[in-house]
Every structure is written in C-alpha cells, then in structure tokens.
Amino acid sequence: MESRINGHTRLYALIGSPVGHSGSPAMYNYSFAKLGIDAAYLAFDIPLEKTKDAIEAFRTLNAGGFNITMPNKTATAQLVDRLSPAAELVGACNTVVVEEDGSMTGHITDGTGFIRNLKEHGVEVKGQKLVLLGTGGAATAIAVQAALDGASEIAIFNRKDEFYANGEKTVEKIRKAVPSIAKVSIEDLDQTELLGQVIAESDILVNATRAGMSPLENVLPVPAEFLRKDLAVADVVYNPRETLLLKKAKEAGCRAAVGGIGMLLWQGAAAFELYTGQEMPVQEVMERFFS
C-alpha cells in the first residue's frame, strides 16, 4: 500500500456507522493493486447526522467516489446531485460516483449484485415470477432491480408490521415506473395458504428477511413443503453461508439454492466498475476474501 500512495492517488471510501468490521477496504485495495489503478480505499465511521458534512468533504477533496452503508443510505440519496433510475426508485444509494465536473451521482448496486449472483448460478430473472419475502432495504433494491430487468411478476410478502407500508410504497413506485410488468403486489406473510399458492405458481423464491440469521438460525421463512424441484431459492443472508432455507431447498431438490455471500461480492464488483470502468478481479477476490 505505502509504495502505491503518491500525489496523484485517488481516494475512495466507505461511510456509515459502524464500519470497523467492513471487508470493503481490503477488497477494493486488493483490486486496485491487482489492476494497477492508482487509488486507495478507506473506511470512515460517520454517524447519520454527519452525512452531509462527509459528502461535502469528499466533494472538496475531489474523491473518486464512496460507498454508503447503514444508516446513511437514504440521507445520501437526498444530498447527491442525481440518482440512477434504480436508486431513485429505491430512495437510497450505496454507491456515489464523483463525476469529472465535481457533481455526484448516486447508485444502488444491491439489486444488481443480487441479480448477477442469481445469474452466476444459472438463474435468470427476465420473464420470471418472483416471490420476495421482506420489505427492508435489500428487499426493496431487489424488487426494483428485478422489475427493471424484466421480471414478469413480483409478489412481495411481509408481516403487517411497521415495515409493511414501505412495501406498499415500493409496489406503487414499480407500477408507475415499470408499466410493462404484468403484476406486482404485496400481501401479509401470515397468510400461509395464499403464500403457498403463489409460490406454487412462481419460478424464484427470495428470502430478504432476517430468518436464518443469528439469533434466528433455526427459523424457516416458509414451510419446507412449499419448496419443489423446479423452484429456484435464494437467500440474502450470508452468515451462516448455508441457511436453514438453503439446506431445505437442497433437500427438496430445488433447481438452485443461492446463498447471500455472492450478492455481497457482486454488489461490490458493480460499484468497482462504476468507479473505474474496469471489472473487479472477482475470482481472485472471492478466493482471497470470501472463501
């Protein structure tokens, strides 16, 4: 690292709080070095109320761009100069590119990372019917990107808690922005019979809830009997690598059982390409940091 830093080295960064656990600096700095790109990536712990200060600092320093993690994603989207179509629909961004004129464009790569991860496992979204469990940030990004990428139907299921309204807003946004989609809806996850009927008619099941993540490792988001051989199952949870849902999907012989670690990798790769115009050395990064 020290041998690469000079007066022309471009700064990239991660902001949010906390960020001390993040693997992003190692992943990006390795990729910069591997491709001979004169850049460095750091992590800055920025509380929500300091988001604007951090963004203005990056603008002043002529940074190349920065990633955003919780809780700063929504605030950042309100402070940049423009948003990508997906980021505008989601209302949040996790990647900002500082353009040559100093303006900032916000992107959301969570959805593109998820879709790419599916593709790497032989699962295409275009023309497919999806069942999506959850209405949080990751679920919203996935729903929006799936719609933009040509999914024929998206059925969102979530319990009628404080996040249900967010799902209703997402449905309305998709209907307006992607009129070509045949159907997008939201229903109560506790309607088990309806859930089973919809999954039976769908091609892909996506868990974007906390089910499967500590301390909910033994929670199955849908009954195991809803899983079948021609269904592709994907989980956003990446710790543990094989959630209970994925284990049950494999036991049921589902055509794909896709873990969340690939989404983490590919959303970072998408941001890297937005920053540099080059492809991240994904295979090396996967072996070095994700194996």
Side-chain angles (χ1 to χ4, degrees):
M1 171 67 76
E2 290 79 4
S3 62
R4 292 198 297 113
I5 299 295
N6 59 64
H8 301 284
T9 303
R10 201 77 187 272
L11 172 66
Y12 294 86
L14 171 69
I15 66 169
S17 186
V19 294
H21 65 287
S22 175
S24 292
M27 178 175 69
Y28 282 101
N29 285 316
Y30 173 83
S31 299
F32 289 148
K34 187 77 176 179
L35 298 178
I37 296 171
D38 190 3
Y41 190 103
L42 298 173
F44 297 100
D45 196 300
I46 305 294
L48 178 60
E49 65 272 16
K50 294 290 185 179
T51 305
K52 183 177 181 180
D53 293 343
I55 290 174
E56 290 308 313
F58 286 136
R59 198 189 300 272
T60 300
L61 295 171
N62 193 31
F66 53 97
N67 293 115
I68 309 97
T69 188
M70 296 300 291
N72 309 58
K73 293 183 177 183
T74 301
T76 299
Q78 298 168 354
L79 293 166
V80 296
D81 300 291
R82 67 187 69 85
L83 296 170
S84 70
E88 188 167 357
L89 278 175
V90 174
C93 56
N94 73 334
T95 303
V96 170
V97 176
V98 182
E99 312 292 351
E100 290 185 4
D101 63 359
S103 65
M104 294 184 172
T105 303
H107 302 263
I108 186 83
T109 66
D110 291 331
T112 53
F114 178 83
I115 301 299
R116 178 61 183 272
N117 190 34
L118 285 184
K119 189 173 183 179
E120 291 294 315
H121 288 83
V123 180
E124 296 289 342
V125 167
K126 188 174 182 179
Q128 301 290 288
K129 297 180 180 180
L130 276 75
V131 173
L132 176 62
L133 311 178
T135 57
T140 303
I142 290 168
V144 165
Q145 197 62 51
L148 293 173
D149 285 359
S152 63
E153 295 183 16
I154 301 174
I156 301 170
F157 281 82
N158 196 81
R159 288 191 172 83
K160 287 201 170 180
D161 56 18
E162 65 271 26
F163 300 106
Y164 193 85
N166 184 59
E168 292 177 315
K169 291 177 183 177
T170 299
V171 166
E172 289 305 313
K173 286 180 181 180
I174 291 175
R175 284 174 179 166
K176 291 179 182 178
V178 192
S180 59
I181 192 168
K183 183 180 180 181
V184 57
S185 61
I186 180 168
E187 301 289 351
D188 186 353
L189 184 58
D190 288 329
Q191 295 187 62
T192 307
E193 186 177 346
L194 176 61
L195 176 63
Q197 292 172 358
V198 176
I199 291 176
E201 299 170 354
S202 298
D203 305 293
I204 305 170
L205 170 66
V206 180
N207 175 46
T209 73
R210 294 181 179 274
M213 181 191 304
S214 178
L216 306 175
E217 299 98 329
N218 297 319
V219 175
L220 196 60
V222 300
E225 57 265 30
F226 290 175
L227 307 176
R228 62 182 199 279
K229 290 185 178 181
D230 59 344
L231 182 70
V233 177
D235 209 325
V236 170
V237 176
Y238 60 86
N239 186 16
R241 296 291 180 91
E242 183 179 83
T243 60
L244 182 58
L245 175 63
L246 296 182
K247 182 179 179 181
K248 293 296 183 182
K250 291 176 182 178
E251 290 175 358
C254 292
R255 64 186 175 99
V258 183
I261 195 69
M263 175 184 174
L264 191 65
L265 170 66
W266 286 108
Q267 64 85 20
F272 186 87
E273 189 165 354
L274 286 169
Y275 293 149
T276 67
Q278 298 187 48
E279 292 186 4
M280 177 182 280
V282 171
Q283 190 59 42
E284 293 96 322
V285 169
M286 172 64 85
E287 293 172 357
R288 191 178 183 95
F289 302 106
F290 293 87
S291 60

